[in-house]
C-alpha cells in the first residue's frame, strides 16, 4: 500500500524537466528523481513517501500540507521552498541546500530536527512567506 510506497509501476522521473508543474494532491510515493527540475512547482498536499529526491532542483517549490516522509533530498536545491504544515518525518536534508526555505508548522521528528539544524545552509528568509528559515525549522538562532 501507500504506507510502504508499493506500486505496480515505478515512477521514474530522472532527468525530467517538470519546472512550474502543478502537482497538487498527486501521489508520487516511491518516486525516483535524480537531476530532475521541479523548480517553482506547486506540490501542495502531494505525497512523496519514500521518495528518492536526490541531486534535483526544487527551488521555490511549494510543499504546503504535503507528506514527504522517509524521503531523501541529498544533494538537492530547496532554496526558497515552502514546507508549511508538511509532514517531514524521517526525511533527510543532508547535503541539501535549504537556504530561504520555510518549515513553519512542519512536523519533523526530534532526531530529524537535530540533523536539519546542523545543515549549514539553513539560513535566510523565504522570499514568498517572509519566514526566517532557521526559526521556522525550530532551530533557534545560529551560533
Amino acid at each position: 500500500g501507500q504506507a510502504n510506497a508499493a506500486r505496480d509501476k515505478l515512477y521514474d522521473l530522472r532527468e525530467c524537466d517538470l519546472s512550474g508543474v502543478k502537482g497538487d494532491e498527486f501521489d508520487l510515493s516511491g518516486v525516483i528523481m535524480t537531476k530532475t527540475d521541479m523548480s517553482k512547482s506547486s506540490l501542495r498536499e502531494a505525497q512523496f513517501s519514500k521518495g528518492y529526491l536526490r541531486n534535483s532542483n526544487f527551488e521555490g517549490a511549494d510543499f504546503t500540507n504535503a507528506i514527504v516522509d522517509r524521503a531523501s533530498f541529498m544533494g538537492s536545491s530547496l532554496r526558497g521552498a515552502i514546507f508549511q504544515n508538511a509532514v517531514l518525518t524521517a526525511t533527510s536534508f543532508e547535503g541539501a541546500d535549504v537556504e530561504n526555505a520555510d518549515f513553519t508548522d512542519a512536523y519533523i521528528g526530534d532526531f530529524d530536527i537535530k540533523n536539519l539544524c546542523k545543515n549549514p545552509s539553513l539560513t535566510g528568509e523565504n522570499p514568498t512567506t517572509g519566514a526566517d528559515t532557521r526559526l521556522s525549522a525550530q532551530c533557534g538562532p545560529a551560533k
Side-chain angles (χ1 to χ4, degrees):
Q2 175 198 336
N4 292 317
R7 295 274 181 229
D8 292 332
K9 295 180 180 173
L10 182 65
Y11 289 129
D12 186 346
L13 299 177
R14 289 178 284 192
E15 299 186 18
C16 290
D17 182 357
L18 301 170
S19 58
V21 74
K22 186 169 174 61
D24 297 345
E25 300 181 12
F26 280 27
D27 183 353
L28 295 171
S29 298
V31 69
I32 298 173
M33 292 183 178
T34 305
K35 298 181 182 172
T36 302
D37 186 357
M38 294 286 292
S39 61
K40 296 180 176 68
S41 294
S42 181
L43 303 165
R44 298 169 72 90
E45 298 185 20
Q47 298 171 18
F48 286 90
S49 296
K50 289 191 175 179
Y52 188 86
L53 312 170
R54 294 182 171 198
N55 301 311
S56 294
N57 181 354
F58 293 95
E59 292 180 13
D62 186 353
F63 290 92
T64 299
N65 296 324
I67 299 172
V68 191
D69 64 311
R70 300 168 291 166
S72 174
F73 283 109
M74 183 176 277
S76 290
S77 178
L78 297 155
R79 288 173 155 259
I82 301 170
F83 289 98
Q84 288 184 342
N85 202 44
V87 175
L88 301 171
T89 51
T91 291
S92 173
F93 294 93
E94 183 181 344
D97 184 351
V98 292
E99 184 176 348
N100 300 330
D102 181 355
F103 295 94
T104 302
D105 297 326
Y107 181 73
I108 308 170
D110 292 339
F111 180 75
D112 305 316
I113 282 183
K114 287 178 186 174
N115 287 331
L116 179 58
C117 292
K118 292 176 187 174
N119 187 316
S121 69
L122 191 70
T123 61
E125 181 178 288
N126 187 277
T128 304
T129 66
D132 179 281
T133 297
R134 272 195 82 72
L135 297 179
S136 73
Q138 302 173 22
C139 293
K143 294 177 182 177

